[in-house]
Each structure stands twice: as structure tokens, then as C-alpha cells.
Amino acid sequence: MPVLIDKNTKVLCQGITGSFGALHTKGCHEYGRNMVGGVTPGKGGQQDANGLPIFNTLREAVQKTGADATMIFVPPPFAADAIIEAIDAEIPVIVGVTEGVPVQDMVRARAYLDQVNNQRAADGKARLTLIGPNCPGVITPGPKTGGGESAADPYTNAGCKIGIMPGYIHTHISEAKAGKAVGIVSRSGTLTYEAVFQTSQLGLAQSTCIGIGGDPVRGMGFIECLELFQNDPETHGILMIGEIGGTDEEAAAEWANANVTKPLAGFIAGRTAPPGKRMGHAGAIISGGEGDAESKIKALEAAGYVIAQTPSELGTAMAQAMGLELAKV
Amino acid sequence: MKIHEYQGRQLLSDAGIPVPSGVTITKAQDAASAYASIVKEAGLGDGGLAVVKAQVHAGGRGKAGFVKLVHSAAEATEAAEFMLSNKMVSVQTGPEGLAVDTLLIAAGVEIEKEYYLAITTDRATRQNVLIASAEGGVEIEQVAHDNPDAILKQPIHAHMGLQPSQARRLAFELGFVGKQVGQAAKIMMALAKLYSDKDCALAEINPLIVTPKSEGHPDGQVLAIDAKFNFDSNALYRQKAVAALSDPSTEDPNETKASAYGMSYIQLDGTIGCLVNGAGLAMSTMDTIKHFGGEPANFLDVGGSATEEAVTEGFRIILSDKKVNGVLVNIFGGIMQCDVIANAVVAAAKQVGFDVPLVVRLEGTNVEEGRAILKKAQADIPTMVAATDLADGAKLVCAATA
């Protein structure tokens, strides 16, 4: 059982008629056949190139399709509003792919999400999960059954892909030589693909891969992902990819130390990045001088993570943490 | 995006935060009249104290002699002549120095006590936070490190904004007294509004000062002396007035050029150029080069679509740095297929002309086709080598440039 999404998840796309939204709706549709429609205000009643219904509002789309996940491709000025629309439509998994959302918009949207989730918790309802923005999305791989319509994504009907990641590099546990699956959580898009590719090469599967995004204010963080993976019986190891800035990795390491019993591997990007390029004085105060690569690596090591020294070692570090043979398949 | 001190003072002043009177000049002959007007405005007599400050983005101005206290029109003119005709050299400018074209002449103020006041967005709590300290005027990071209790923090509610009671409590806790309390609280409220209205990433007043008691101000006056702003570049589309404050002459022209193509470039001190898709992968490509003994010459994220146009411009920018003696291309083709990327790299390399080693590492969709394209182009680009993985690529480029 993977986390967050599976083959039964029904997915909508907000911004389905934009060029990016249309391209990736097609890719996700071809991967797992989970797409059930999309939203573009004013184009309700039409169909997209895949024959998926388009709705004017997200609420109507949810009512008509029974969708329980959405991916957001609307342009940055409207992305936070799209997130709020998804919160109001009570969609359990909200994936913000859009890059370049103003930070203050996200401060307000995140506060709204927290307020709604607190109320939901008080009412005994499940919390809504926001992933991103500025992230590649989330994928639960399925077996490579073939029969897809595109050469790039020839796999269908058992997994679920929500986002822009290349589906074909992922491996389902039924097709993994090692017979084990890892959960991957990452702040960086292309580094996630590296991790997936390398673990697949080593004969490992991925249970679910979550790109949490690189923005300073976002939805779910490392700790929520670690908790999901720790509680998922089909996740046998956890690979966590962080980068400089903030203290999320340090907090995750502390949490993992107390709560995670599964093998852990980690990587931190930005060891050689010049200081001061991202943060002013006040940012540095809040993190209390923390946030550089070395302090993060130290925290992860102390929590028992096997550290990949370079991104070429993402797969081998994970395999090593799991005590597996390192022979390439 | 950063702005100059005089622009920051204007923002504060427009927001209702008091700053000492000041004017900007670009010619030394205007210094005398500028001095006269500001001492008059500040109610100081002839011989009153003023300060001449060079408007540059680099720090270390004081030590470099580009902040001068003056007591007369003649001294102001002399300081202005020096600053406008010499390059400022400080630890932050590098040995080549920085030309100065604008000066701020501000009224000198007597300082009774200095404070620190700033707002930023805290990643950990995902909200804006007001940070204040009664130990202002010094390196605030040092205060945070040595005496964290001396730093007060007030979270700002995302939907309500800073509340008067919160600002007032903070003012009392900082030790403001009498009429200072109301003045300080008003400044905090104004700064919080400014921060959110202008999409700031940092709004810092350091120092915020109290002047000695005077006839008009029996409890002294609370003033902002120096301000530093940083803005969220994602929001500049709706902050036209802020965007207009950007001074292109102070930006790295290569960074500006790169951003016009949707790329992000930062020059570094090393010799190995790199062109990568994705910020995390770009950072860790630099890390990998360093791991194998090389020194990265730049950070360059070509973004999601490594088109021929973008790669060509990327190569031009990288090679314009004369220290570069080798280039590593590292692209994980996800949605964009490797054959398309390989064609773009080959076309770009041909167009730009390579006489230094070019190591290309491609992975992802259609990688075999991509590598075949690179191989076929070898005759046209003799310095080009295809790598099997990132470590191999980093080793190859380090060996080729060692």
C-alpha cells in the first residue's frame, strides 16, 4: 500500500487548457489513467484533447467526477487562489506544480489551509494535504503493463502520476529485483529524478515519490512524508533529499531519530553554494546560524542517515542503508 | 532584488516612518547646496553635522572612506569629489572596486540609543515575523549568536497583520519610554504594512534610533537611520514601482542576461563552467565538481526547457568568464527528451564555438538517441566528450582542466 495516492485516485487538473497543463494532463493520463477532468473558468462543457471533461469551477468538477486529487498548473499570479479553490472544494490531495508563486500569497494560502485543517480535525474529518507549490508532484508507480499511447510513457493502469516527473524511470515493487521499495521525498525536482533513476538501476522499487518543492512557504514538509513512509508497510527504506536554506532538514532529522525505524539515506544539495546569495540578515537570525549544508549533513548523520556525498551516490547510499548488495542490475 | 539606501529611505518615508532629512546628488558641485538645504531643514545651524554616503550595493563603505561626516559645505564638496571620482574598494567589491554615481547627503543626528527592527518571512513557521532588539547598530547576527534572549520576535498573522497591542507590547519590552513607545509602535505597524504591501522578503531598519531630549521632543525622537530591503522577485510583476527602483548598472550583466532567457546564473571563482537543468541538480553538480577536486565557475540553471536558444545563451554567458577552461553540461531529460536536448547542445556548441573541453552528461528519456547525436557531432566539436553518469562527467571535466 503506497502513500497519498494509488491507482484508484481520481485526478483533476486546474489550468487544463494552458500549454503546460495540457501537456502534463496528457502525460499523467497516459501513465495511470487517473485523470478525470479539469478546470478552466469559461470553458466548462468542453473536452480537452484526451476527451476529458472541462468544468468552470472546481466544486462542480468534484461533484461530477468524484475526484480526490488535483494538480495546479495555473500561472503564478493565480496559483494561490487555485490552491484556495481546492481547499474550499475539500480535495484531499492538492498538488501545486506552478513555479514562481509570490511568497506572501503562499503565506496567506497556507494560513487558510491550516485554519481549515484545524476545523476539520475538530469536526473529526481528515486533513487536506497540500504538496508544493514549485514542485514536480507526487507519483505512486505501477507495474509496466504497457499499452500506453506514447513512446515516452508506455505504462498504464496500475499507478498514479500527478505532476511533471518522467513516469518511465520509476519501478513498481513487482518488477524490482531486490523486491523492496523505497519512499523518496525531495525539495528538488531533477534530483528526485536522479534518485528514482539510480534506485531503479539498483533493482529497487519506489513506493511513492513526493516532491515537496523548493519554496520557502509550502504545503507538506519532510516530517509529514517521513511519517507516511514510516507507517506504510510497503515502504522498506526512505531517501530524503534536502538543500541549503531553512532548518527543515534539521527538524526532520530530529523527528526521524525519535520516530523512524526504517533505513534512512539522505543528501543535501548546495555544499559549495556561496553564502548570502539567498538570505538577508533577518533570515539568518531566524535560522540561528543554521541552514548550511554541513549543519544539515551533521544532523542527518546523527539521526542515522547514510549520506550520499555526491548525487551519483543517491541510489547506493539508500541500498547501503538497507544492507543490500550494490551490484548494478 | 536589492535597492539603494536612498530608495529605502524614500520607501520608509512614504510609509510614514520618520527618517533624517536627506537629498541625493550625482555631481560634486551640487554638494554645497545639498548640505545647506539639509542642515537648514534639520534645524541645524551652519557648521551642522551631515553625512555623505556613497550609494552602492556593496558593504564596507565606512572603512573604504565612502561614508564621511562633514561640518561644512566645503567639506561636503570635498567628500563628494572624492567619492564620485574614485572607485570604492572594500572586501565586498573585490580589488577592481566599484564606481559610484550617486551620493546621499543626510542630516547628522545625535543618537541616544540604537535599536534593531526587521521583518522577514520565517520558513519554519511559514509566516511573517517582526524581529526587534535593543542592541541595534551592531552586527545583529552576532547578537543572535551571543545573546539570543536579546532578540524579540513577534509573529504577524497572515490575515490580520500586526496588531497595535502587539507592537505596543514589543515597544515596552524593548525599553522605549514615554512618548517613544507610541512612536516606535507606529513605526512597527508601518513597517509591517510596507512589508506585505510591497512584497518584501526583508525589511530591516538598523539602526532605529532615539535622539536625545530636546525642546520639541521631551522624550527624544524615534528615527530610522539606515534601511535594507529585499524583494520577492516572484512578485515584481505586481510591484511595478519597486521593480523600477532596480539599478541595472549594479546587477551582474550576465545574471540579467540569463534571467531574460528564464535561466538563473551566479558567477563563482572557479574554472569549470556548468550548465544544468534544475536548481537542486545545478547546486549538486557544483558540489560534485568540487568533490572531485575542481572548482565550479558558476551556478547555471537552464530551467525546465533546455532549448537551443537557452543553451546557446548559457554557453555564451559561461564562456564570457575568461577563467573558464572547461564546461560540464548535466541534464536529466525528464519531460524533455534527451535527443532534443542533445541536438540543442550540439547546435549551441557549434554556434558558440568551443576551444575548451566540453563534457556532456545526459540521462533520461531517449538517452541512447541523445548519446548517438553527441557521438555523430564529435567531428564538428572535437573538444566534446560524452559522460556516462554525473560522477564520470565531473571526473572527466576535472581531468581535462587540471
Side-chain angles (χ1 to χ4, degrees):
Chain A
M1 207 191 76
V3 307
L4 290 171
I5 57 169
D6 63 21
K7 63 178 182 187
N8 299 317
T9 303
K10 291 179 182 169
V11 187
L12 292 166
C13 177
Q14 289 168 266
I16 191 169
T17 54
S19 61
F20 213 42
L23 173 72
H24 293 290
T25 295
K26 183 168 186 284
C28 294
H29 185 61
E30 283 168 352
Y31 185 80
R33 291 280 183 272
N34 312 87
M35 298 302 301
V36 294
V39 174
T40 295
K43 294 195 178 170
Q46 302 177 18
Q47 288 190 342
D48 84 336
N50 308 293
L52 298 168
I54 300 172
F55 301 93
N56 285 322
T57 70
L58 197 61
R59 182 161 290 174
E60 185 196 357
V62 171
Q63 280 163 355
K64 299 272 171 67
T65 63
D68 48 10
T70 178
M71 56 181 191
I72 296 169
F73 281 90
V74 305
F78 319 109
D81 187 41
I83 290 171
I84 289 165
E85 188 180 7
I87 295 168
D88 286 345
E90 301 188 71
I91 299 185
V93 176
I94 303 162
V95 180
V97 175
T98 308
E99 178 180 353
V101 183
V103 176
Q104 292 304 311
D105 287 4
M106 277 314 299
V107 167
R108 290 184 279 266
R110 175 64 204 245
Y112 183 59
L113 175 67
D114 290 345
Q115 184 195 327
V116 167
N117 271 337
N118 286 341
Q119 187 59 49
R120 291 179 71 85
D123 296 344
K125 291 185 189 168
R127 298 173 77 85
L128 311 176
T129 298
L130 171 66
I131 303 172
N134 189 14
C135 80
V138 54
I139 182 169
T140 291
K144 296 175 182 172
T145 49
E149 289 159 16
S150 110
D153 284 309
Y155 321 116
T156 53
N157 77 32
C160 181
K161 167 171 127 82
I162 306 181
I164 62 174
M165 68 292 281
Y168 80 98
I169 58 174
H170 298 77
T171 305
H172 184 256
I173 191 157
S174 66
E175 294 170 342
K177 293 224 165 152
K180 298 208 162 161
V182 299
I184 298 178
V185 52
S186 170
R187 267 169 76 178
S188 148
T190 37
L191 269 176
T192 319
Y193 310 161
E194 289 280 350
V196 169
F197 185 78
Q198 290 173 29
T199 48
S200 286
Q201 291 265 300
L202 290 167
L204 285 164
Q206 299 83 31
S207 54
T208 299
C209 304
I210 311 168
I212 58 173
D215 280 3
V217 178
R218 58 178 174 247
M220 73 188 306
F222 285 122
I223 293 175
E224 291 105 306
C225 296
L226 290 175
E227 188 171 13
L228 289 174
F229 288 137
Q230 170 66 20
N231 295 331
D232 171 32
E234 283 176 27
T235 296
H236 306 106
I238 306 168
L239 177 52
M240 184 179 123
I241 301 168
E243 58 187 44
I244 51 166
T247 54
D248 288 0
E249 290 81 0
E250 287 89 336
E254 199 178 315
W255 192 89
N257 203 17
N259 299 288
V260 176
T261 54
K262 295 181 179 180
L264 288 160
F267 176 73
I268 302 292
R271 264 188 164 164
T272 52
K277 269 287 175 189
R278 283 175 162 224
M279 281 191 204
H281 273 177
I285 295 170
I286 290 208
S287 52
E290 290 174 21
D292 66 358
E294 296 314 319
S295 90
K296 288 174 190 293
I297 290 169
K298 219 185 266 174
L300 293 178
E301 274 175 342
Y305 284 72
V306 174
I307 301 296
Q309 296 300 325
T310 72
S312 305
E313 297 169 14
L314 289 165
T316 50
M318 186 73 258
Q320 192 192 324
M322 297 170 79
L324 299 172
E325 290 285 324
L326 295 182
K328 269 201 179 185
V329 176
Chain B
M1 192 199 108
K2 291 179 182 169
I3 59 171
H4 285 299
E5 179 187 5
Y6 73 92
Q7 297 167 324
R9 286 167 49 98
Q10 190 62 49
L11 282 180
L12 292 180
S13 176
D14 292 348
I17 297 172
V19 295
S21 49
V23 289
T24 54
I25 60 165
T26 55
K27 296 189 200 85
Q29 65 257 36
D30 296 336
S33 60
Y35 170 82
S37 76
I38 68 119
V39 291
K40 189 170 169 223
E41 199 184 322
L44 309 165
D46 201 24
L49 176 67
V51 57
V52 184
K53 299 166 110 175
Q55 299 298 290
V56 289
H57 283 312
R61 289 183 301 181
K63 269 191 186 158
F66 282 69
V67 174
K68 281 231 167 81
L69 298 175
V70 295
H71 293 88
S72 68
E75 281 179 28
T77 306
E78 189 189 341
E81 272 169 359
F82 170 79
M83 292 182 201
L84 291 170
S85 58
N86 286 288
K87 283 192 172 180
M88 173 182 134
V89 180
S90 81
V91 280
Q92 287 190 20
T93 64
E96 65 273 24
L98 212 55
V100 178
D101 57 19
T102 304
L103 306 177
L104 169 69
I105 303 186
V109 283
E110 279 187 76
I111 296 175
E112 184 77 23
K113 182 157 174 46
E114 294 183 312
Y115 297 85
Y116 175 90
L117 195 61
I119 299 176
T120 190
T121 305
D122 179 14
R123 294 159 167 264
T125 58
R126 298 167 298 272
Q127 58 191 349
N128 300 330
V129 58
L130 179 68
I131 300 159
S133 175
E135 297 185 23
V138 291
E139 283 294 314
I140 196 72
E141 287 99 335
Q142 200 59 41
V143 178
H145 183 262
D146 297 344
N147 186 11
D149 289 345
I151 297 198
L152 306 179
K153 292 179 189 170
Q154 171 62 48
I156 299 174
H157 193 278
H159 303 147
M160 297 193 305
L162 186 68
Q163 297 298 299
S165 61
Q166 297 169 331
R168 198 167 54 235
R169 194 195 70 236
L170 213 54
F172 277 112
E173 286 173 1
L174 286 167
F176 287 103
V177 291
K179 287 205 160 64
Q180 296 168 9
V181 175
Q183 294 177 42
K186 199 176 150 221
I187 289 172
M188 291 178 204
M189 296 291 289
L191 192 66
K193 184 167 186 309
L194 175 62
Y195 185 87
S196 113
D197 285 353
K198 300 286 181 190
D199 279 299
C200 297
L202 172 72
E204 181 187 75
I205 300 175
N206 189 23
L208 178 75
I209 63 125
V210 178
T211 60
K213 292 173 185 149
S214 66
E215 223 167 284
H217 302 283
D219 290 332
Q221 214 187 344
V222 184
L223 293 176
I225 297 293
D226 200 353
K228 194 159 121 190
F229 285 92
N230 237 321
F231 298 94
D232 175 10
S233 53
N234 287 350
L236 287 181
Y237 75 88
R238 65 183 176 199
Q239 298 291 353
K240 302 269 185 274
V242 170
L245 299 177
S246 152
D247 178 353
S249 74
T250 64
E251 313 273 339
D252 180 335
N254 277 336
E255 289 179 22
T256 311
K257 229 185 278 171
S259 74
Y261 283 83
M263 304 185 287
S264 162
Y265 172 87
I266 295 169
Q267 186 167 347
L268 304 168
D269 295 332
T271 58
I272 299 173
C274 35
L275 182 147
V276 189
N277 68 331
L281 191 58
M283 276 196 287
S284 47
T285 300
M286 288 159 43
D287 299 346
T288 310
I289 289 171
K290 187 118 179 169
H291 183 78
F292 288 109
E295 283 292 338
N298 65 279
F299 167 95
L300 176 57
D301 170 12
V302 286
S305 51
T307 59
E308 180 183 329
E309 204 192 6
V311 176
T312 303
E313 196 55 34
F315 280 155
R316 287 209 173 109
I317 290 170
I318 291 171
L319 294 174
S320 72
D321 177 356
K322 294 301 162 209
K323 295 192 303 294
V324 169
N325 60 11
V327 175
L328 173 61
V329 172
N330 180 23
I331 292 179
F332 199 104
I335 295 308
M336 202 165 180
Q337 296 164 6
C338 284
D339 49 342
V340 179
I341 296 165
N343 277 323
V345 169
V346 166
K350 276 189 204 166
Q351 212 178 321
V352 174
F354 260 83
D355 45 16
V356 298
L358 170 64
V359 178
V360 182
R361 181 271 176 152
L362 294 178
E363 196 57 74
T365 316
N366 294 355
V367 65
E368 295 308 327
E369 290 91 325
R371 290 198 185 133
I373 290 164
L374 294 179
K375 204 163 179 195
K376 225 175 103 192
Q378 205 106 54
D380 295 320
I381 313 160
T383 64
M384 185 168 71
V385 191
T388 53
D389 61 28
L390 174 52
D392 180 50
K395 281 182 212 163
L396 281 171
V397 77
C398 288
T401 56

